[in-house]
Amino acid sequence: MLIITITVTCQVITRVDYCFIRRLQVIVKNNEVYIPAKLTLGYLGQEVKYDAVAKKAGIEVGGTFKALNTISEKGISYVSLTEVQNLGYTVEATADFITIQ
């Protein structure tokens, strides 16, 4: 099982898998944490694609494109933790950490 832990206080994502650690920028906006969609969901086994017609990032679910509610900053699409929960992942939060599995 892959677990992604986000350290909210320093606004980075840390992924620990086979002794590999990578730090990523996250965004906190209106009391909601946003994480890089493509990289984070990729860690969880999802392939994030861009639909040029809809101008939305999304994933394929059962062969159908599902647009994600994202915000964009510096060319990167960020997805909220609420949206990640809506995709069926478990998101657990404490004062300093958010874990997605």
Side-chain angles (χ1 to χ4, degrees):
M1 172 187 351
L2 174 63
I3 298 173
I4 298 173
T5 300
I6 302 168
T7 308
V8 178
T9 53
C10 62
Q11 296 187 340
V12 297
I13 293 176
T14 303
R15 175 198 181 209
V16 180
D17 187 28
Y18 301 107
C19 299
F20 173 74
I21 298 175
R22 183 168 184 170
R23 297 167 65 88
L24 305 166
Q25 183 69 40
V26 300
I27 297 172
V28 179
K29 187 174 184 178
N30 299 325
N31 294 321
E32 179 73 82
V33 176
Y34 290 83
I35 54 181
K38 187 172 186 174
L39 194 53
T40 305
L41 292 174
Y43 286 156
L44 295 167
Q46 300 285 340
E47 182 180 358
V48 177
K49 298 180 180 181
Y50 183 74
D51 183 329
V53 175
K55 296 184 180 178
K56 289 272 194 178
I59 59 173
E60 283 194 26
V61 178
T64 302
F65 182 81
K66 177 182 177 3
L68 299 171
N69 294 316
T70 60
I71 60 173
S72 184
E73 187 172 295
K74 298 180 183 176
I76 297 173
S77 293
Y78 291 81
V79 63
S80 72
L81 293 178
T82 302
E83 186 78 359
V84 173
Q85 283 180 308
N86 291 339
L87 293 173
Y89 293 99
T90 301
V91 178
E92 297 177 18
T94 67
D96 295 321
F97 297 97
I98 298 168
T99 301
I100 304 167
Q101 50 185 327

